[in-house]
Amino acid sequence: MANITKKVSWSSRADESGATGEGTPLLNGSEQPRHSRQLSEGRSIFQIGRLSTVDLEEEITSDEDSLRGRPKEIPHNEKLLSLKYESLDYDNIENQLFLEEERRMSHMGFRCLEISRWVVCGLIGFLTGLIACFIDIVVEELAGIKYQVVKENIEKFTEVGGLSISLILWAVFNSAFVMVGAIIVAYFEPIAAGSGIPQIKCYLNGVKIPRVVRLKTLLVKVGGVICSVVGGLAVGKEGPMIHSGAVVAAGVSQGRSTSLKRDFKIFEYFRRDTEKRDFVSAGAAAGVSAAFGAPVGGVLFSLEEGASFWNQMLTWRIFFASMISTFTLNFFLSIYHNKPGDLSNPGLINFGRFETESVAYNLYEIPLFIAMGAIGGLLGALFNVLNYWLTIFRIRYVHRPCLQVMEAMLVAAVTATVSFTMIYFSNDCQPLGPEHTEEYPLQLFCADGEYNSMATAFFNTPERSVRSLFHNQPGTYNPLTLGLFTLTYFFLACWTYGLAVSAGVFIPSLLIGAAWGRLFGILLASITTTGSTWAVPGKYALMGAAAQLGGIVRMTLSLTVIMVEATGNISYGLPIMLVLMTSKIVGDYFVEGLYDIHIKLQSVPFLHWEAPATSHWLTAREVMSSPVTCLNRIEKVGTIVDILSNTSTNHNGFPVVVQVAGNDEPAKLCGLILRSQLIVLLKHKVFVELARSRLTHRKLQLKDFRDAYPRFPPIQSIHVSQDERECMMDLMEFMNATPYTVPQETSLPRVFKLFRALGLRHLVVVDDENRVVGLVTRKDLARYHLGKHGLEELQLAQT
Amino acid sequence: MSPHRHGSFWGFIVFNIYVLVSGDGGNLTASETPPLSSVVLSSAAFKPGLGSLLSLNLLSSFPEDLEISDYCSQLLLIFGQRYVAYVNCLVPAARPVKVCQNCFSSYGSLTEIFSNISSDQVGPGNVSCRDSLLRSDRLMLVYELFENLKVLWEKSNCNNCITKGFQNMTSDTLHFMTTLNQTLTCFEQYQQKNKTELCTNCKTDYKNLNVLYGGMEKNKTMCIDIEDAMNMTRRLWSKNFNCSFPREETVPVIAVSSFMLFLPIIFYLSSFLHSEQKKRKLIHPNRAKSYSSLMNIQDNRS
């Protein structure tokens, strides 16, 4: 409360307003005399307040005053909101152009639109499946070559001596691959780093993350994933599939590529944020479905992450996209495996089948599973805390691209070193199984015909290691091997996540969990004398994997369904659900989920499911930004250009007001217009004078706005001559005539609900006579969050 | 008992002798022959008794068309003989595994008679034995018996070591066997003496064997006999004679890996010390003064 009032007390100073909050003017710009139009009664009260308190403030904050000239600088932390993120314009702009277009559109037109939505969803699924297939095949081939070369080298040097050379060879191989991956990410597209799930979560939440759904991002992502998995990092290729699916969706649905400068002239109707966001949720679902072979899980993922704006038809279409995606992957992988038509690879990760009698569970095992969930929650919380500190350090100190590349290479080299040392010193030798699931068995110092058990876990792609932990017969691993493996892989995975490479955290989490889960199962069997009959280690490995994953990412519904679908065993539904619930409860007691931590560390204005508790006493008046830059219904071009080109404010929505009668009466709200619309209007020079002189001038249509989407030109690129500055613009046709408004006394949770449910970007606060008092935007709401000491407020910062 | 049944019985005796003579290839050892013949004899002696037993317990008066034909019962008897012969061959070959090399010919004759039984061909008297022998009851005994052995055969991958038509072992297999024998002789030669001498002297033989085995493994031309023989040899080599590679370069490995582990520490320390910390510029947003704060301030003034 104290810091809130302090900040508020600053706000009414005129020269302070070089500030943010979409909709605040810069009053010190001397050539903008018309800005003070928004003078209202509320404002005059504030002025009185300011006058009366001005002396007091000067006394108290004289030293702070000196700082006021230059902005305060603080080291990066998680309690910031970045200015570079904007909201999506999810709300439909119902202006006159829109109504006209709707009137012109026939019944058939709407039908075609619906059909093309389905076509787009099918295409999204198909292309996402193809990308998954491509990644899988390339990773398999390249990793095969790498492991074969290293294996032959190790075999050679086991005999003649000089194994340290094999170690160096392995490390160099890894570093080289990872270097390529890190260079393309760090130098070409930093947004492609990490798993991409936090970014997609933000996008579905309604935040426009710059460059997140571009073609270039997709290319870097795919290349980066291949490099980092082949480079042997403790990462998976599943998380990035979700991002890839989202990019595919955003690209396909637009029917053109701005990067390639190709316009196929199709799907033009979908060129706006509303439609695009819907398709992106379909793409994310298709990505999940291709990654895990879990179409329903994919739909539920989109539902869980983007649940605020939802409808049933959309769900059905998303499900279609998911199904197509998993089928495509399945089909093409079956061709790759030379068994066309044998549809047994529904996802990138294949948990194998849990179908035999021995893996059925008993009622008395459920408490054990719950205990495993608690362990998973604890370990997950530890993972997240460690990764949190590491990420803060990285943001503060390792921010130059060359340093990021070096760091990634070091991690790759150390991963190889640690793995090699573990394998070298392991004494756990096991006979080769009859089916021989190990692709690259390493013998080293084991007896002939046996292989090093540690090597099956380390000397393998992580997906294969997970599967062998789930399915190898009891006795394949000894407890010491598993314990050491869990420990090292835990720290490696924690260290790896957040590097400047594109890679996911799903598989490493599953692997850690599977390892300690299997260990748990083995110990259980050794404690109970009769245990060997029911304590099948594979089952406990699965539960451990679920617990660990749940403890790290804290997803609920979708993760349960994904796990159930990936195992292909419905009867595991309840235990998996219980495990995930426990791990979430235990983990949330200590720290948030990994994705939420990263969203916070990126200073994204993310709106959670609910407004923070105990925030009902806050009203719209305290939340909103004020005063607001408003425009007249008929506005001078010069003013608009000046407002838009003001670099210190990057406002996006401007309430349009109308003067009632005479100058002394305050203006009333009549609409809302967006920056993008104004820019298009300026570009097409829709001025009143010009329209009068040239009667043949083509009337502006909605198509013109769509053509400029999504990269509206910056205001600087639009030339407005001195004569044109004196012209007038009539905003009547283009503005949204019925913007959502709330009275000043509305409580924060109510405003919050409106924002979440309607996907708003601007919410105008009006007084009882419909005069603009303030403007609430996403950043105004997202800054409140429940911290350790009650309600806290985040600060805005330039990043 | 009808007379022509006795006639067919004589046919069986003749057939059995043929089986015995044609034998189990060249591998049938002398020690295996007596029990086989005794089984044949006993079964031959048992046959009339069985017949009388049947006539006592069940009325032997099923109508003629439901009874199996002579031809079929003849086939059935041959099947029984060959079945017994094959099983008799299998059991002694269980450990060390020699099921393929010892018993392939008896398996061949067993499949031959089974394919006769199960073929569509109509025998004398216009009867097909497939239906009457294989699937006229729930038990399907003949079928099940054969199927069990077939599964065994397939599991042991013997087809990879035996030429088509169960004529002989493949040349690959024979070649492997000679190499194996060579190695084993070498082992025997040095076994009494120093173990380290064995390791050095038999290394080439053992290595050749391993290479050969590796090649067969890749080509998938292996059967259980070869796998088992190789396993035993490997166990001898690594466990009994202790000829595996020792772990002797611990120091260089530790040195290289600790150097690698040291690198990140240097990296993070230097980036902490030399890289400038990234700062964020704070921005103060414009807010309306809330009534409550206003009230507070006014209270203060008054």
Side-chain angles (χ1 to χ4, degrees):
Chain A
M1 182 64 206
N3 58 359
I4 291 172
T5 48
K6 196 169 86 191
K7 230 162 282 138
V8 169
S9 70
W10 282 96
S11 61
S12 53
R13 311 189 133 263
D15 53 348
E16 269 289 320
S17 41
T20 50
E22 303 174 28
T24 32
L26 191 78
L27 286 182
N28 54 356
S30 54
E31 80 254 14
Q32 302 169 8
R34 305 185 62 161
H35 275 188
S36 47
R37 177 177 309 115
Q38 71 277 7
L39 271 179
S40 63
E41 208 170 321
R43 160 104 175 151
S44 55
I45 292 174
F46 298 150
Q47 277 180 329
I48 293 164
R50 184 184 67 176
L51 288 176
S52 59
T53 59
V54 76
D55 294 339
L56 191 70
E57 277 187 350
E58 288 294 335
E59 278 168 25
I60 297 169
T61 60
S62 56
D63 51 338
E64 270 183 52
D65 230 0
S66 59
L67 280 174
R68 192 178 2 115
R70 56 198 170 85
K72 206 172 134 200
E73 288 201 342
I74 58 157
H76 186 90
N77 61 40
E78 91 275 19
K79 290 184 181 165
L80 292 174
L81 290 182
S82 171
L83 278 188
K84 73 177 171 189
Y85 300 114
E86 296 175 3
S87 283
L88 295 173
D89 292 305
Y90 192 73
D91 188 29
N92 199 9
I93 301 158
E94 285 182 7
N95 53 17
Q96 287 182 12
L97 297 183
F98 175 79
L99 294 177
E100 264 169 46
E101 195 190 59
E102 203 176 72
R103 218 176 296 129
R104 272 205 309 275
M105 219 153 144
S106 60
H107 181 66
M108 206 53 211
F110 279 107
R111 274 286 172 78
C112 287
L113 216 56
E114 192 58 31
I115 291 169
S116 52
R117 280 202 183 99
W118 281 94
V119 172
V120 169
C121 279
L123 275 176
I124 291 169
F126 181 71
L127 290 177
T128 309
L130 272 191
I131 287 174
C133 188
F134 172 76
I135 292 178
D136 195 55
I137 291 173
V138 174
V139 164
E140 199 155 302
E141 294 294 327
L142 285 180
I145 293 171
K146 185 189 95 171
Y147 284 122
Q148 204 56 45
V149 169
V150 175
K151 185 183 151 158
E152 273 163 22
N153 190 279
I154 287 180
E155 274 167 3
K156 197 172 103 201
F157 284 116
T158 319
E159 210 173 321
V160 298
L163 271 175
S164 44
I165 296 170
S166 321
L167 161 60
I168 292 170
L169 178 83
W170 191 0
V172 166
F173 252 122
N174 277 7
S175 299
F177 277 117
V178 171
M179 184 177 78
V180 176
I183 283 176
I184 57 175
V185 169
Y187 284 99
F188 294 104
E189 197 54 274
I191 202 79
S195 77
I197 294 180
Q199 282 87 347
I200 295 307
K201 255 181 106 155
C202 293
Y203 193 92
L204 294 182
N205 191 262
V207 185
K208 188 187 285 168
I209 310 273
R211 303 193 313 282
V212 76
V213 286
R214 296 240 178 123
L215 183 66
K216 190 173 148 198
T217 313
L218 176 67
L219 294 179
V220 170
K221 194 109 209 168
V222 170
V225 166
I226 291 171
C227 287
S228 49
V229 176
V230 174
L233 291 176
V235 296
K237 53 190 187 297
E238 278 67 15
M241 265 323 295
I242 295 160
H243 192 169
S244 306
V247 181
V248 166
V252 169
S253 63
Q254 303 301 298
R256 68 168 168 195
S257 164
T258 331
S259 311
L260 299 179
K261 300 196 171 52
R262 288 285 304 271
D263 190 343
F264 297 100
K265 306 272 181 201
I266 46 171
F267 307 139
E268 284 172 342
Y269 185 83
F270 301 140
R271 291 175 190 173
R272 54 201 170 115
D273 279 345
T274 320
E275 298 282 350
K276 193 164 161 182
R277 199 195 142 283
D278 286 354
F279 285 119
V280 166
S281 56
V288 174
S289 137
F292 300 98
V296 182
V299 174
L300 292 176
F301 175 83
S302 285
L303 181 70
E304 196 171 320
E305 303 308 342
S308 55
F309 341 114
W310 200 260
N311 73 50
Q312 281 72 19
M313 261 332 265
L314 178 62
T315 318
W316 186 221
R317 275 201 302 273
I318 290 178
F319 193 41
F320 176 65
S322 297
M323 279 294 184
I324 293 289
S325 144
T326 179
F327 175 79
T328 309
L329 175 71
N330 213 335
F331 181 71
F332 283 100
L333 278 189
S334 75
I335 290 176
Y336 171 67
H337 293 307
N338 280 329
K339 292 177 221 156
D342 168 31
L343 302 178
S344 57
N345 288 292
L348 288 184
I349 169 102
N350 193 344
F351 285 180
R353 292 276 161 247
F354 287 84
E355 272 165 0
T356 48
E357 276 292 304
S358 56
V359 293
Y361 69 98
N362 257 312
L363 197 62
Y364 53 79
E365 283 178 90
I366 285 181
L368 290 172
F369 292 152
I370 291 177
M372 290 183 80
I375 299 175
L378 284 175
L379 286 178
L382 180 67
F383 186 100
N384 291 359
V385 168
L386 291 177
N387 194 264
Y388 166 76
W389 289 113
L390 193 61
T391 311
I392 288 219
F393 181 87
R394 277 177 180 149
I395 292 174
R396 285 186 189 168
Y397 295 103
V398 194
H399 46 78
R400 291 218 303 273
C402 59
L403 285 180
Q404 290 175 337
V405 173
M406 270 172 69
E407 192 193 11
M409 286 172 66
L410 279 176
V411 174
V414 169
T415 308
T417 310
V418 170
S419 313
F420 187 89
T421 322
M422 288 301 220
I423 294 172
Y424 185 88
F425 288 106
S426 163
N427 281 327
D428 185 7
C429 293
Q430 300 289 346
L432 280 169
E435 295 104 38
H436 207 358
T437 44
E438 295 76 24
E439 196 110 329
Y440 319 103
L442 274 186
Q443 186 187 352
L444 276 164
F445 311 114
C446 287
D448 285 0
E450 295 187 343
Y451 64 93
N452 190 308
S453 168
M454 192 67 103
T456 54
F458 271 122
F459 196 68
N460 226 332
T461 53
E463 281 92 351
R464 271 183 210 287
S465 308
V466 171
R467 215 171 336 152
S468 58
L469 281 170
F470 283 163
H471 291 294
N472 280 6
Q473 287 93 350
T476 317
Y477 298 92
N478 75 25
L480 183 69
T481 307
L482 284 176
L484 279 174
F485 176 75
T486 309
L487 201 69
T488 46
Y489 213 80
F490 183 88
F491 288 111
L492 282 178
C494 189
W495 189 20
T496 309
Y497 191 77
L499 283 180
V501 294
S502 35
V505 77
F506 264 87
I507 295 299
S509 318
L510 285 174
L511 194 48
I512 298 166
W516 67 253
R518 199 173 170 105
L519 183 65
F520 188 89
I522 292 174
L523 294 183
L524 211 65
S526 66
I527 289 169
T528 54
T529 46
T530 57
S532 53
T533 51
W534 53 271
V536 182
K539 180 171 50 182
Y540 288 91
L542 176 67
M543 292 304 155
Q548 185 66 54
L549 188 54
I552 289 174
V553 304
R554 309 284 164 74
M555 278 149 65
T556 49
L557 171 63
S558 52
L559 190 57
T560 312
V561 176
I562 287 172
M563 294 292 287
V564 168
E565 280 186 287
T567 52
N569 190 326
I570 294 287
S571 63
Y572 277 166
L574 181 76
I576 287 177
M577 186 179 172
L578 287 176
V579 160
L580 287 175
M581 275 167 86
T582 336
S583 67
K584 184 174 165 63
I585 291 168
V586 173
D588 280 347
Y589 182 77
F590 298 101
V591 68
E592 292 172 284
L594 188 63
Y595 296 143
D596 295 317
I597 289 177
H598 278 259
I599 287 173
K600 262 194 180 169
L601 284 174
Q602 284 166 10
S603 315
V604 181
F606 189 85
L607 295 186
H608 290 274
W609 288 341
E610 301 265 334
T614 73
S615 60
H616 284 269
W617 58 273
L618 275 169
T619 61
R621 193 186 303 111
E622 283 134 324
V623 172
M624 69 190 184
S625 304
S626 173
V628 185
T629 312
C630 295
L631 295 174
N632 265 327
R633 218 186 67 190
I634 295 172
E635 185 61 277
K636 211 171 122 191
V637 173
T639 319
I640 295 177
V641 172
D642 287 337
I643 292 174
L644 292 184
S645 48
N646 189 339
T647 48
S648 58
T649 62
N650 193 22
H651 305 153
N652 252 295
F654 302 94
V656 180
V657 291
V658 60
Q659 229 72 322
V660 185
N663 257 344
D664 42 340
E665 274 290 308
K668 293 199 173 182
L669 176 71
C670 69
L672 186 84
I673 195 153
L674 301 178
R675 166 183 285 261
S676 56
Q677 291 175 306
L678 287 174
I679 283 180
V680 174
L681 291 181
L682 284 175
K683 204 172 121 195
H684 288 88
K685 307 213 182 300
V686 192
F687 306 145
V688 179
E689 285 80 3
L690 286 181
R692 250 180 240 141
S693 61
R694 285 184 289 161
L695 287 171
T696 53
H697 188 77
R698 189 175 67 89
K699 208 160 171 291
L700 211 59
Q701 289 181 345
L702 219 49
K703 186 177 179 303
D704 299 301
F705 291 94
R706 285 194 200 121
D707 283 343
Y709 179 83
R711 296 186 209 177
F712 295 102
I715 182 72
Q716 286 79 12
S717 71
I718 292 168
H719 181 72
V720 178
S721 70
Q722 205 59 41
D723 290 344
E724 284 167 337
R725 282 182 70 92
E726 296 304 317
C727 293
M728 303 299 274
M729 248 162 76
D730 188 357
L731 306 178
M732 191 61 202
E733 275 185 285
F734 309 107
M735 70 186 183
N736 182 3
T738 53
Y740 292 97
T741 58
V742 286
Q744 299 178 63
E745 279 73 32
T746 323
S747 71
L748 174 66
R750 269 184 114 73
V751 175
F752 199 96
K753 239 174 235 161
L754 270 178
F755 254 77
R756 272 291 283 190
L758 300 173
L760 293 185
R761 180 169 187 175
H762 305 98
L763 184 63
V764 187
V765 182
V766 293
D767 64 4
D768 46 4
E769 284 175 57
N770 205 25
R771 288 172 301 208
V772 181
V773 186
L775 196 68
V776 177
T777 60
R778 173 174 283 269
K779 279 172 207 127
D780 298 322
L781 292 176
R783 66 199 163 110
Y784 295 103
H785 83 122
L786 208 55
K788 284 204 172 65
H789 316 289
L791 205 60
E792 290 175 358
E793 201 187 325
L794 306 178
Q795 286 172 305
L796 284 170
Q798 209 134 34
T799 53
Chain B
M1 281 292 132
S2 53
H4 59 91
R5 191 158 280 196
H6 284 286
S8 69
F9 178 68
W10 275 111
F12 276 123
I13 298 289
V14 171
F15 197 77
N16 279 329
I17 290 163
Y18 161 73
V19 167
L20 284 175
V21 170
S22 73
D24 275 311
N27 294 325
L28 199 66
T29 50
S31 63
E32 280 168 333
T33 319
L36 191 71
S37 58
S38 71
V39 168
V40 171
L41 287 178
S42 68
S43 76
F46 193 55
K47 184 76 185 168
L50 190 75
S52 60
L53 211 70
L54 268 176
S55 61
L56 276 180
N57 286 345
L58 289 171
L59 290 173
S60 63
S61 56
F62 282 121
E64 194 68 9
D65 52 331
L66 279 181
E67 276 284 355
I68 58 168
S69 70
D70 283 336
Y71 173 68
C72 290
S73 62
Q74 197 176 340
L75 283 181
L76 187 62
L77 203 62
I78 299 173
F79 176 80
Q81 305 295 352
R82 293 188 183 183
Y83 193 91
V84 169
Y86 180 51
V87 170
N88 268 322
C89 172
L90 278 184
V91 173
R95 261 337 304 169
V97 185
K98 288 188 169 156
V99 289
C100 300
Q101 43 186 316
N102 285 359
C103 310
F104 65 89
S105 57
S106 54
Y107 182 73
S109 46
L110 183 67
T111 45
E112 190 198 345
I113 189 71
F114 187 78
S115 64
N116 270 351
I117 292 177
S118 59
S119 72
D120 290 332
Q121 269 183 2
V122 185
N126 225 2
V127 280
S128 157
C129 298
R130 192 173 55 164
D131 293 334
S132 62
L133 291 183
L134 294 186
R135 38 169 120 141
S136 45
D137 53 69
R138 177 165 65 84
L139 197 57
M140 301 202 291
L141 187 73
V142 174
Y143 175 78
E144 285 293 327
L145 283 175
F146 180 74
E147 203 59 19
N148 282 339
L149 288 187
K150 198 174 149 200
V151 166
L152 265 185
W153 177 264
E154 269 157 17
K155 242 172 146 179
S156 53
N157 282 338
C158 285
N159 275 340
N160 293 337
C161 295
I162 307 297
T163 52
K164 278 233 165 83
F166 308 102
Q167 297 296 323
N168 209 339
M169 288 194 278
T170 56
S171 55
D172 280 350
T173 317
L174 290 172
H175 179 51
F176 179 83
M177 289 297 170
T178 42
T179 323
L180 177 70
N181 280 339
Q182 213 174 320
T183 316
L184 290 179
T185 350
C186 179
F187 284 178
E188 245 166 65
Q189 206 177 340
Y190 290 96
Q191 202 162 11
Q192 311 306 326
K193 301 174 200 166
N194 197 353
K195 287 279 167 65
T196 50
E197 215 173 301
L198 185 145
C199 289
T200 48
N201 284 327
C202 299
K203 192 163 185 180
T204 43
D205 280 338
Y206 178 70
K207 220 171 156 188
N208 283 340
L209 188 69
N210 255 325
V211 170
L212 193 63
Y213 182 77
M216 294 176 88
E217 198 173 19
K218 219 169 261 166
N219 298 338
K220 304 228 155 87
T221 53
M222 273 195 318
C223 55
I224 185 73
D225 290 17
I226 293 177
E227 284 171 48
D228 184 66
M230 192 65 213
N231 269 346
M232 299 309 289
T233 321
R234 278 177 167 172
R235 202 176 301 164
L236 272 179
W237 177 259
S238 332
K239 296 263 164 78
N240 290 22
F241 306 139
N242 238 342
C243 294
S244 299
F245 303 110
R247 183 179 298 159
E248 52 195 7
E249 352 162 25
T250 314
V251 177
V253 168
I254 289 182
V256 171
S257 39
S258 46
F259 170 72
M260 290 277 194
L261 294 178
F262 199 58
L263 285 177
I265 300 173
I266 298 174
F267 173 80
Y268 283 116
L269 266 182
S270 67
S271 57
F272 179 70
L273 295 175
H274 297 299
S275 183
E276 61 170 316
Q277 189 175 9
K278 202 165 214 177
K279 300 273 189 177
R280 304 294 187 204
K281 278 185 200 132
L282 282 191
I283 287 154
H284 298 293
N286 282 9
R287 304 274 173 229
K289 189 165 283 192
S290 74
Y291 283 152
S292 55
S293 60
L294 202 66
M295 224 73 93
N296 284 343
I297 292 161
Q298 278 167 347
D299 284 350
N300 283 347
R301 272 179 70 83
S302 59

